[in-house]
Amino acid sequence: MALAAVDAIRQLQDRSSAKRRSAAKRLRKLGDPNAGPALLEALKNEVRDSRTWETQYQMTMALGTCGSPSDLPYLRDLVLRRETLHAVHTAGGDAIVRLSYMEHCHAETIRWCLSTGNETLVGGALQAVAMLRLAPDQETVTGVLDFIEARSPQDGIYFWPAVAAAGWTGRRVHHFLTSCISSPRPDVAEAATNSLAGNYGAYRPL
């Protein structure tokens, strides 16, 4: 039987990392805002142990669906720390965009992620852009494409913008997607093909 939100919140304090991770995944699915404060506190404790990267990832992703914009200062600080794990950078980028979207300041947030130069963080942010089907302003789209196209076509960072671009417009976007169709990465080529057809596909973050 699937955990109820109240039980999942309680399980965030379990001694077992696997159970804490399972609780976070359940709360992420439920998207219950009542779980936000408990997730934030659990994440603050979890990031002290570098061995539990999977649990940290799921807690951060859950905070993106259950938290509030008031959690943004902590998340921004977390992803800027040198010791923060790559998995948390990915989840942090996703969560930061999702929570910024609540206040309609996601375009500014996407540009902030780009300004860090952190590819893992940007990848997570673009994951959220794709899943939320956001169509940022032209300045932000240009910034995203400048950032992505400066990387090798072999880079996996091309995947989520290729998905997200299904909802973007403009000649440069079309050129980007067309070039992605011949990508050496089959996942990127498939995503670009779907986007050019106006289809987001059935993509889901882990």
Side-chain angles (χ1 to χ4, degrees), residues 111-203:
R111 293 194 295 271
W112 177 82
C113 290
L114 293 171
S115 74
T116 69
N118 184 328
E119 293 188 21
T120 310
L121 175 66
V122 171
L126 294 175
Q127 174 177 277
V129 171
M131 291 296 93
L132 295 172
R133 302 191 177 188
L134 302 181
D137 59 86
Q138 199 59 50
E139 176 189 354
T140 304
V141 169
T142 297
V144 168
L145 296 182
D146 285 345
F147 188 95
I148 300 302
E149 291 175 339
R151 273 70 187 169
S152 165
Q154 295 276 6
D155 199 319
I157 200 171
Y158 276 75
F159 177 75
W160 285 114
V163 176
W168 301 351
T169 59
R171 182 177 299 177
R172 186 174 177 191
V173 172
H174 186 271
H175 180 269
F176 169 72
L177 289 173
T178 301
S179 66
C180 284
I181 288 178
S182 57
S183 169
R185 294 181 59 99
D187 57 340
V188 173
E190 179 185 7
T193 300
N194 283 329
S195 289
L196 282 170
N199 173 25
Y200 274 87
Y203 306 110

Side-chain angles (χ1 to χ4, degrees), residues 20-201:
R20 296 194 301 273
R21 179 165 65 252
S22 176
K25 290 175 73 172
R26 178 60 178 162
L27 292 169
R28 173 183 169 190
K29 183 176 182 179
L30 292 173
D32 186 343
N34 292 319
L39 278 164
L40 180 61
E41 289 308 308
L43 178 60
K44 287 179 179 179
N45 290 325
E46 200 70 38
V47 296
R48 297 172 181 170
D49 188 347
S50 61
R51 297 171 299 177
T52 65
W53 65 269
E54 293 174 290
T55 302
Q56 294 176 38
Y57 173 87
Q58 292 297 340
M59 284 183 175
T60 307
M61 291 292 287
L63 192 60
T65 62
C66 300
S68 71
S70 65
D71 300 323
L72 285 168
Y74 172 75
L75 287 172
R76 287 197 179 202
D77 174 70
L78 179 63
V79 298
L80 291 177
R81 296 178 194 169
R82 180 176 298 179
E83 68 272 19
T84 296
L85 304 174
H86 281 194
V88 180
H89 283 140
T90 299
D94 185 289
I96 287 169
V97 169
R98 288 179 184 274
L99 297 180
S100 297
Y101 179 59
M102 293 181 181
E103 293 192 328
H104 306 288
C105 60
H106 51 279
E108 176 187 346
T109 295
I110 295 166
R111 293 194 295 271
W112 177 82
C113 290
L114 293 171
S115 74
T116 69
N118 184 328
E119 293 188 21
T120 310
L121 175 66
V122 171
L126 294 175
Q127 174 177 277
V129 171
M131 291 296 93
L132 295 172
R133 302 191 177 188
L134 302 181
D137 59 86
Q138 199 59 50
E139 176 189 354
T140 304
V141 169
T142 297
V144 168
L145 296 182
D146 285 345
F147 188 95
I148 300 302
E149 291 175 339
R151 273 70 187 169
S152 165
Q154 295 276 6
D155 199 319
I157 200 171
Y158 276 75
F159 177 75
W160 285 114
V163 176
W168 301 351
T169 59
R171 182 177 299 177
R172 186 174 177 191
V173 172
H174 186 271
H175 180 269
F176 169 72
L177 289 173
T178 301
S179 66
C180 284
I181 288 178
S182 57
S183 169
R185 294 181 59 99
D187 57 340
V188 173
E190 179 185 7
T193 300
N194 283 329
S195 289
L196 282 170
N199 173 25
Y200 274 87

Side-chain angles (χ1 to χ4, degrees), residues 9-20 23 46:
I9 291 171
R10 187 179 303 114
Q11 191 168 299
L12 289 172
Q13 304 302 321
D14 197 278
R15 294 181 63 182
S16 164
S17 177
K19 288 189 175 181
R20 296 194 301 273
E46 200 70 38

